[in-house]
């Protein structure tokens, strides 16, 4: 089985000028805005244009950790977001 590794492991995967998670958000946002149309569609595009610069001002891995803090995802072998004490 062949597996491709990026040339530089510290660089995130990039599609056009977006990071992979930004690209997924941009593509899904544009699809939803096209389906909804009108003022709500333009509002979604405007929110997307404001979100991407805000996300780029945060450190790498900010969105997965934010989703963990909200309880949307869980990291393997890591305590939950509401746990205050952790003993190994």
């Amino acid at each position: 089985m062949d597996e491709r590794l990026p040339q530089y492991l510290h660089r995130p995967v990039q599609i056009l000028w977006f990071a992979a998670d930004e690209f997924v958000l941009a593509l899904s946002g544009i699809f939803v805005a096209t389906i909804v149309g009108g003022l709500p569609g333009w509002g979604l595009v405007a929110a997307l244009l404001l979100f991407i610069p805000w996300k780029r001002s945060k450190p790498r891995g900010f969105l997965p950790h934010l989703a963990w803090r909200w309880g949307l995802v869980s990291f393997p072998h890591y305590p939950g977001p509401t746990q205050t004490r952790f003993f190994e």
Side-chain angles (χ1 to χ4, degrees):
M1 178 184 291
D2 264 352
E3 291 187 32
R4 283 189 77 200
L5 290 176
Q7 184 177 4
Y8 302 105
L9 294 177
H10 66 282
R11 290 187 183 171
V13 175
Q14 193 170 6
I15 303 168
L16 296 176
W17 56 88
F18 296 115
D21 54 350
E22 292 174 354
F23 183 74
V24 169
L25 286 173
L27 200 61
S28 61
I30 290 171
F31 280 145
V32 171
T34 303
I35 292 169
V36 172
L39 192 57
W42 284 108
L44 186 62
V45 170
L48 182 66
L49 290 175
L50 293 174
F51 173 76
I52 289 177
W54 174 78
K55 183 198 165 290
R56 288 182 181 174
S57 69
K58 304 294 181 193
R60 242 176 91 191
F62 174 75
L63 282 182
H65 284 88
L66 188 64
W68 169 80
R69 190 177 311 142
W70 289 346
L72 300 175
V73 297
S74 62
F75 296 135
H77 312 294
Y78 200 74
T82 58
Q83 194 165 356
T84 57
R85 291 185 179 176
F86 178 68
F87 299 104
E88 276 191 67

